[in-house]
Amino acid sequence: MSCFNSSRLLDKTVVITGASAGIGAATAILFAKAGSNVILVARRDDALKKVQDQCVAAHKESGVSAGGKFATVKLDVSDRSQIAQFWDKVPADLRKVDVLVNNAGFVLGVEKVGEISESDIESMFSTNVFGLIAMTQLLVNHFKEQNSGHIINLGSIAGREPYAGGSIYTATKHAVRAFTGSMMRELVSTPIRVTEIQPGMVETEFSVIRFRGDKGAADKVYEGLEPLTGTDIAEEIVWAASRPPHVNLAEVFVLPVSQASATINHRPKAQQ
Ligand code: 8X3
């Protein structure tokens, strides 16, 4: 892995939410390769343990001697009482955190306004917005105390551009964008950095969850074009974290080359 200066990441400790799959898992593995320590946070303990094993292997394979400490924290960010217990679940030698990657988030359904269930609205807001805010409140105070730190929030093209069938998801990601931008302004007099990563189409479990397990419908989203992968976004996250301390990548808007907006894309390999 040579796309970033990893020496700045040696022995840094990174908290990643939603680390059991997709972008979160790929990010954990890249930080492991870069010689960082990683606290993997998610609801699914068995999946987290598998990603932890992949981190151990990636760190070993990289040959970097620094870092290499990994811990899993089973926690649902949508449950504030679980977030309150976060520090109790982190091993003592990893309690000085340098980077928070707020990655946990999802979309459910494509229903139009008027047809959306209360439980879908609540679950998307609980994780994508309230969970992200609660994790940030916890870590920003830690960063203020140590006078250093980096909060990297996963926004989306959906936080820049509303689209039909995505009212709640786009509302949550617009909220992430507003929250992140306000926080960056508040922290301007500190060395704490704030980054928002805004991916377009990324092929992970994301669309399978949106279509409630319908893999065929999910595959159609990416049909005929080459979407981004979880690792593509992980590279941007690790890139942002590995910039010199005086450089803050405030926003990284990243699309597949065949996508120009939420609704404009080119599908060169689509069947006629
Ligand atoms: C994911 C991008 O366009 O599917 O955050 O909403 S999109």
Side-chain angles (χ1 to χ4, degrees):
M1 178 78 216
S2 60
C3 75
F4 54 86
N5 182 344
S6 63
S7 68
R8 298 195 190 102
L9 298 175
L10 297 179
D11 256 331
K12 299 290 181 197
T13 297
V14 186
V15 172
I16 304 173
T17 68
S20 57
I23 294 171
T27 303
I29 291 163
L30 280 198
F31 273 113
K33 275 189 191 172
S36 300
N37 308 304
V38 187
I39 301 166
L40 303 119
V41 180
R43 288 173 302 174
R44 294 176 291 169
D45 208 27
D46 47 345
L48 270 183
K49 292 276 189 285
K50 284 186 189 144
V51 179
Q52 183 181 27
D53 290 346
Q54 290 175 279
C55 287
V56 170
H59 179 258
K60 197 171 168 202
E61 194 189 322
S62 74
V64 187
S65 56
K69 289 186 214 156
F70 306 108
T72 61
V73 171
K74 182 178 172 338
L75 186 153
D76 181 348
V77 298
S78 72
D79 180 342
R80 245 66 58 77
S81 65
Q82 291 187 32
I83 290 186
Q85 294 162 6
F86 173 76
W87 289 116
D88 299 337
K89 298 182 179 183
V90 174
D93 60 343
L94 289 178
R95 289 199 189 140
K96 190 205 161 299
V97 172
D98 300 287
V99 183
L100 167 64
V101 181
N102 269 317
N103 164 69
F106 66 95
V107 60
L108 266 182
V110 287
E111 289 81 5
K112 304 246 177 349
V113 177
E115 301 159 357
I116 310 162
S117 77
E118 282 302 315
S119 71
D120 286 353
I121 297 167
E122 274 169 29
S123 62
M124 280 186 267
F125 268 94
S126 295
T127 295
N128 302 8
V129 183
F130 302 141
L132 177 144
I133 292 172
M135 283 301 292
T136 304
Q137 294 237 81
L138 196 70
L139 270 297
V140 81
N141 286 329
H142 177 75
F143 292 160
K144 283 178 181 174
E145 273 166 32
Q146 68 190 18
N147 204 32
S148 67
H150 193 168
I151 297 161
I152 302 179
N153 287 344
L154 267 292
S156 168
I157 190 173
R160 302 170 58 100
E161 188 186 343
Y163 54 82
S167 59
I168 304 305
Y169 181 67
T170 62
T172 67
K173 290 298 180 178
H174 276 70
V176 168
R177 192 173 190 202
F179 174 76
T180 308
S182 297
M183 177 168 61
M184 185 182 72
R185 287 158 177 79
E186 289 175 6
L187 294 171
V188 70
S189 59
T190 77
I192 301 166
R193 298 189 289 180
V194 179
T195 297
E196 191 195 355
I197 309 282
Q198 302 160 345
M201 281 192 229
V202 185
E203 190 168 14
T204 58
E205 288 176 352
F206 179 84
S207 287
V208 181
I209 293 168
R210 162 171 269 164
F211 291 105
R212 304 179 200 280
D214 182 343
K215 180 87 171 61
D219 287 347
K220 277 215 165 317
V221 174
Y222 311 110
E223 202 170 69
L225 57 74
E226 186 175 354
L228 301 170
T229 65
T231 300
D232 292 328
I233 302 305
E235 287 197 8
E236 301 307 323
I237 294 168
V238 174
W239 171 255
S242 62
R243 295 310 78 222
H246 69 287
V247 176
N248 187 42
L249 281 194
E251 293 185 7
V252 183
F253 180 32
V254 52
L255 302 174
V257 71
S258 301
Q259 182 179 20
S261 80
T263 53
I264 300 172
N265 50 62
H266 174 57
R267 298 179 187 270
K269 293 180 253 166
Q271 306 285 336
Q272 294 304 314

